[in-house]
Amino acid sequence: MTEHAEDDAGPAVSRHPGTVAEVFLVFLRLGLTSFGGPVAHLAYFREAFVTRRRWLTEKAYADLVGLCQFLPGPASSQVGMALGLQRAGYPGMIAAWFAFTMPSVVLLVAFALGVQHAGDLTEAGWIDGLKAAAVAVVAHAVLSMAKALTPDAPRASIAAAAMVLVLLVPNPFIQVVAILAAGVIGALWLRPPETGPKPEDAFTVRVSRRASWTAGALFAALLAGLPILAAASGTGLAAMVDSFYRAGALVFGGGHVVLPLLQAETVPALVDPEVFLAGYGAAQAVPGPLFTFAGFLGASSTGTPTGLAGAAVAVLAIFAPAALLVIAALPFWERLRSNTSAQKALMGVNAGVVGILAAALYTPVFTAGVLEVGIEALVLAVLAFVALNSWRVPAWAVVLAAGLLGWVLL
């Protein structure tokens, strides 16, 4: 990674910058239509920016995706932020994030306000249907990620160990311990990839070292300081910012993997378990990044702030680490991506992520979505899983169908 664009980066992005309006409109279209989770989002981005608009080359795009998968946070959102930054500077970065994120936030906040108006949801059949759909979606994510990220015995063992650790030690911070341990074990135990990166494959963008160090220092200061501020102030606002910032800063893998951290931070402190799972199910039916689930939780909070203010605080807090990390990492990625130990550590972290997600599949997803509902929910979850995994039905369609069937049958 260099500070200046070079000829190998494809179309000379620094010589032909775009406009903020251009970035906003392209990402708004993606934010309205990108269903299917982070992997699908990356495919949409490739079609939009590599194939159709040629903003960067295939190799440069792959390099960028590699960086964002290495960083904590929502990978697809971070890719979008970096593309906006490359195309139109820091205003472009903000425009890309806002346009891609807000459609999902608006829909989920509207859903949250509707849930509040509906009152007690414990006996609502459509809520049970959404919870059953969440079981299928998370199970499908675990299976898909396991195939890609734990293809051999060592990485499968790391995933299993992470799952056991998280299940046996129900502590909000144990997921972080599991991720760090998986990275250390990967660096010491795993073999490096057979083919390493090439210099000409780099994604290049203008980010000064001063901006990079400032963003990194701010990221670390907030991560360390917000828990202290929350404990000292005792206010709901400080505690909410701390919870969502920490979730955004410490989750690797993005998407579904944020579920256990958010569950540990918000249930029952901010929302009831059934509301949490209903919102998670609804998050599958809207386009855009799954991290916008934070907007639903903030709007549904039983403390303060809540409603629209709570949604705004939660969304800004959970995405802030992603933006800071992108700015901090870009100038240093070239050196890091060529480091064998870093590559092995990333392989271990990815395996640990699979294990953490598998633990979340059992609790709270399966226990609340099936065990607490009954055999009918299990049948609905199995049908939804077959639709996702075998028939390749989009997740949003499965969730909507499950909610409708739950309303009719449960």
Side-chain angles (χ1 to χ4, degrees):
M1 190 70 57
T2 60
E3 291 184 310
H4 301 280
E6 298 186 14
D7 292 340
D8 289 337
V13 294
S14 62
R15 295 197 302 268
H16 303 287
T19 65
V20 174
E22 173 194 30
V23 169
F24 180 86
L25 290 175
V26 172
F27 276 95
L28 180 61
R29 187 179 300 113
L30 289 166
L32 291 168
T33 59
S34 294
F35 292 92
V39 175
H41 299 164
L42 295 176
Y44 292 132
F45 285 177
R46 178 189 172 277
E47 170 64 24
F49 302 116
V50 176
T51 302
R52 190 183 312 166
R53 292 175 177 82
R54 300 185 182 276
W55 285 9
L56 70 171
T57 67
E58 188 83 63
K59 291 180 179 180
Y61 181 70
D63 183 67
L64 174 59
V65 171
L67 166 62
C68 295
Q69 288 178 333
F70 184 84
L71 297 173
S76 61
S77 295
Q78 288 169 314
V79 168
M81 291 175 186
L83 288 169
L85 176 62
Q86 183 194 58
R87 191 69 179 174
Y90 292 109
M93 181 181 187
I94 296 171
W97 168 77
F98 186 87
F100 184 60
T101 303
M102 283 307 109
S104 176
V105 171
V106 170
L107 291 172
L108 288 176
V109 170
F111 179 72
L113 297 178
V115 166
Q116 290 179 355
H117 180 73
D120 185 11
L121 297 173
T122 55
E123 302 299 328
W126 64 276
I127 292 295
D128 290 337
L130 291 179
K131 290 157 65 176
V135 174
V137 170
V138 177
H140 183 252
V142 171
L143 180 62
S144 300
M145 293 176 67
K147 289 179 180 179
L149 302 178
T150 59
D152 49 47
R155 281 180 280 181
S157 299
I158 292 174
M163 180 187 72
V164 170
L165 179 63
V166 171
L167 288 175
L168 294 182
V169 187
N171 184 283
F173 295 98
I174 200 63
Q175 294 94 352
V176 180
V177 175
I179 288 172
L180 293 176
V184 172
I185 294 171
L188 297 176
W189 186 26
L190 299 179
R191 295 180 178 180
E194 295 182 359
T195 58
K198 299 178 181 179
E200 63 267 21
D201 297 345
F203 173 81
T204 54
V205 64
R206 289 180 180 272
V207 174
S208 69
R209 293 296 176 94
R210 178 179 297 179
S212 174
W213 282 108
T214 301
L218 182 57
F219 168 83
L222 290 172
L223 185 61
L226 283 173
I228 299 173
L229 178 62
S233 67
T235 64
L237 175 61
M240 177 179 284
V241 173
D242 173 42
S243 295
F244 284 100
Y245 184 89
R246 192 160 2 101
L250 298 178
V251 62
F252 284 84
H256 303 281
V257 187
V258 77
L259 173 65
L261 278 176
L262 286 178
Q263 186 268 340
E265 293 289 344
T266 63
V267 178
L270 296 181
V271 297
D272 294 330
E274 63 271 11
V275 174
F276 180 91
L277 284 177
Y280 183 72
Q284 314 306 314
V286 299
L290 285 173
F291 269 52
T292 56
F293 180 37
F296 171 89
L297 296 173
S300 302
S301 172
T302 55
T304 54
T306 188
L308 296 179
V313 169
V315 170
L316 290 173
I318 202 170
F319 279 101
L324 293 173
L325 285 169
V326 166
I327 296 170
L330 279 171
F332 303 98
W333 176 234
E334 178 62 27
R335 182 179 301 175
L336 183 62
R337 68 195 281 273
S338 302
N339 184 281
T340 301
S341 296
Q343 294 173 26
K344 295 193 296 179
L346 177 59
M347 293 166 62
V349 165
N350 286 337
V353 163
V354 174
I356 292 173
L357 188 57
L361 173 61
Y362 175 72
T363 179
V365 176
F366 185 81
T367 55
V370 171
L371 295 183
E372 296 179 6
V373 178
I375 192 67
E376 297 87 353
L378 176 61
V379 171
L380 186 55
V382 169
L383 293 175
F385 178 80
V386 171
L388 284 168
N389 190 63
S390 300
W391 291 98
R392 301 294 190 267
V393 178
W396 63 269
V398 171
V399 169
L400 292 178
L404 179 61
L405 289 173
W407 177 62
V408 173
L409 302 175
L410 298 182

